[in-house]
Amino acid sequence: MKSVLFSRFFILLPWILIVIIMLDVDTRRPAPPLTPRPYFSPYPLPTIYAITPTYSRPVQKAELTRLANTFRQVAQLHWILVEDAVARSELVSRFLARAGLPSTHLHVPTPRRYKRPGLPRATEQRNAGLAWLRQRHQHQRAQPGVLFFADDDNTYSLELFQEMRTTRKVSVWPVGLVGGRRYERPLVENGKVVGWYTGWRADRPFAIDMAGFAVSLQVILSNPKAVFKRRGSQPGMQESDFLKQITTVEELEPKASNCTKVLVWHTRTEKVNLANEPKYRLDTVKIEV
């Protein structure tokens, strides 16, 4: 009996030693780095509402395509596209249908008397976007949201949307290539806006470009009469006339590292040269540009 036990013990002994050696080697290996778990906020991500006035011109689709390519990379964004027209155009309707973005397509024409050079543009279109927002949230509790005016001739860094999403009331930041300067910006001291670095009329109450601020949705809903005005508004004063209705300079929230980083550029597409475009269509194929 003893001989049988000894024989089995010696048969198992090599395997026991192998297991012990493997366990010892494994315990000496450095532990893999701990991967932090992703942080999930218990609060809903604020929706960014982008109001974009647009009008028919040769570069319209190109401008909107560039803007859509940016917006597709931004989470929880709703695009409010407002045409300066008596009806929604087929071009913009088809474009939005293929854009793959949550969107609303509106239209309102600018009265002919306001289309003279030197007068503010896109007033009726921005007001139409504001009216849609207020009507949408009229009978329901508004979810966290932020509004900004995204003209279709601007270029936006994705970082800008991260900055504006935390807007409590009205946030501001620099804008590049505007006002005859490389940039304009709010001047900030101790986290507060104290003035303006601008190339045109620094005495404006809010010497800022339309691309340089965002407004909390709650502020828009709490101030139902705040709109862009035609009567009594001077050229270049639309931003000031609007912001005066909802905030003060002391309440502004500086973004973009205390307004020291440019995250949006007023690029404007160069006027296209169509000198050789035939008066009557000669191509046998109709191509949308």
Side-chain angles (χ1 to χ4, degrees):
M1 185 69 179
K2 289 183 179 181
S3 60
V4 173
L5 290 175
F6 277 113
S7 62
R8 291 182 176 178
F9 172 75
F10 285 113
I11 292 173
L12 293 173
L13 182 61
W15 295 103
I16 295 172
L17 293 173
I18 291 173
V19 170
I20 293 173
I21 293 172
M22 290 178 65
L23 290 174
D24 182 62
V25 170
D26 190 66
T27 56
R28 293 182 183 181
R29 289 179 181 174
L34 294 176
T35 303
R37 294 182 179 180
Y39 173 74
F40 296 99
S41 171
Y43 305 103
L45 190 67
T47 300
I48 294 177
Y49 293 96
I51 295 180
T52 299
T54 187
Y55 63 98
S56 178
R57 61 200 190 277
V59 299
Q60 182 182 28
K61 188 176 179 181
E63 301 272 34
L64 295 178
T65 297
R66 178 177 60 188
L67 198 50
N69 288 340
T70 299
F71 286 170
R72 269 194 291 268
Q73 301 178 69
V74 181
Q76 200 69 17
L77 183 142
H78 189 107
W79 194 7
I80 306 170
L81 194 56
V82 191
E83 288 193 76
D84 184 353
V86 296
R88 291 186 294 184
S89 68
E90 292 185 9
L91 183 148
V92 176
S93 296
R94 283 194 296 266
F95 174 81
L96 275 181
R98 299 170 183 170
L101 282 163
S103 61
T104 297
H105 187 186
L106 306 174
H107 67 90
V108 59
T110 299
R112 184 174 297 180
R113 64 183 180 276
Y114 294 132
K115 289 191 173 183
R116 299 194 305 270
L119 293 181
R121 295 186 299 173
T123 300
E124 288 74 23
Q125 290 72 42
R126 293 188 181 104
N127 285 340
L130 290 170
W132 179 87
L133 266 178
R134 288 167 175 143
Q135 184 178 9
R136 174 185 174 93
H137 297 284
Q138 183 178 10
H139 301 297
Q140 60 181 345
R141 184 178 179 182
Q143 297 296 318
V146 178
L147 161 71
F148 88 114
F149 299 97
D151 289 353
D152 59 7
D153 58 355
N154 290 343
T155 302
Y156 302 91
S157 166
L158 294 179
E159 187 180 348
L160 177 65
F161 301 97
Q162 300 175 15
E163 294 278 334
M164 74 171 69
R165 207 184 291 272
T166 58
T167 299
R168 296 187 301 273
K169 190 170 183 180
V170 179
S171 58
V172 292
W173 51 78
V175 178
L177 309 178
V178 68
R181 292 189 173 184
R182 293 192 305 122
Y183 63 88
E184 291 184 339
R185 74 180 187 95
L187 300 175
V188 179
E189 292 181 5
N190 300 318
K192 294 291 184 180
V193 174
V194 296
W196 312 94
Y197 177 81
T198 178
W200 184 77
R201 287 200 60 177
D203 62 329
R204 287 174 289 162
F206 297 86
I208 194 169
D209 186 77
M210 196 70 70
F213 66 91
V215 185
S216 163
L217 176 61
Q218 192 57 52
V219 170
I220 295 296
L221 300 179
S222 300
N223 296 271
K225 294 184 179 181
V227 294
F228 291 93
K229 299 177 180 179
R230 280 290 187 186
R231 292 184 178 180
S233 182
Q234 301 175 17
M237 295 293 290
Q238 279 209 315
E239 296 88 347
S240 288
D241 290 342
F242 177 73
L243 290 172
K244 281 192 301 184
Q245 301 172 68
I246 59 175
T247 190
T248 63
V249 173
E250 292 74 22
E251 293 178 314
L252 294 176
E253 306 158 36
K255 300 293 185 181
S257 299
N258 273 333
C259 296
T260 60
K261 294 169 64 176
V262 173
L263 302 176
V264 55
W265 296 261
H266 202 42
T267 41
R268 296 186 181 181
T269 300
E270 181 182 1
K271 187 177 181 180
V272 294
N273 180 9
L274 299 178
N276 295 323
E277 184 71 12
K279 186 176 181 180
Y280 303 101
R281 185 164 60 90
L282 301 179
D283 197 348
T284 56
V285 179
K286 185 178 180 180
I287 296 179
E288 182 180 277
V289 180

